[in-house]
Amino acid sequence: MFIIREVFIAKPGQAGKLAKLMKEVTPPLVNAKVKVMIDFVTDFNKIVIEHEVENLAEFEKIMEDFKTN
């Protein structure tokens, strides 16, 4: 099992909006467990998205499907 983290730095004051947008976009990715989190400890504008997948090929397929939709 792999946990893949993507980290985004939003413009000041826009982290909440970006996190909300990411949550709206992730439901089509049903094949994997996805978490969208806002970092309150370090940078206030940091958004972390975690994908939990069984193998990297599954993650690549999810990303390819995401590009086509």
Side-chain angles (χ1 to χ4, degrees):
M1 178 181 304
F2 292 94
I3 295 178
I4 300 163
R5 289 189 183 105
E6 297 179 276
V7 179
F8 299 93
I9 305 294
K11 290 183 179 181
Q14 301 297 314
K17 291 180 185 177
L18 182 58
K20 183 179 177 183
L21 178 67
M22 292 297 184
K23 284 183 182 180
E24 291 173 0
V25 173
T26 53
L29 307 176
V30 182
N31 299 346
K33 295 179 185 175
V34 179
K35 295 180 190 175
V36 178
M37 301 172 281
I38 297 176
D39 191 352
F40 287 111
V41 177
T42 58
D43 297 331
F44 291 110
N45 301 318
K46 187 183 290 184
I47 292 118
V48 179
I49 302 174
E50 281 188 357
H51 302 270
E52 186 177 321
V53 293
E54 289 299 319
N55 55 44
L56 292 178
E58 180 181 344
F59 181 70
E60 288 180 16
K61 183 182 180 309
I62 290 169
M63 290 296 113
E64 285 299 319
D65 291 345
F66 182 71
K67 283 189 225 178
T68 58
N69 290 336

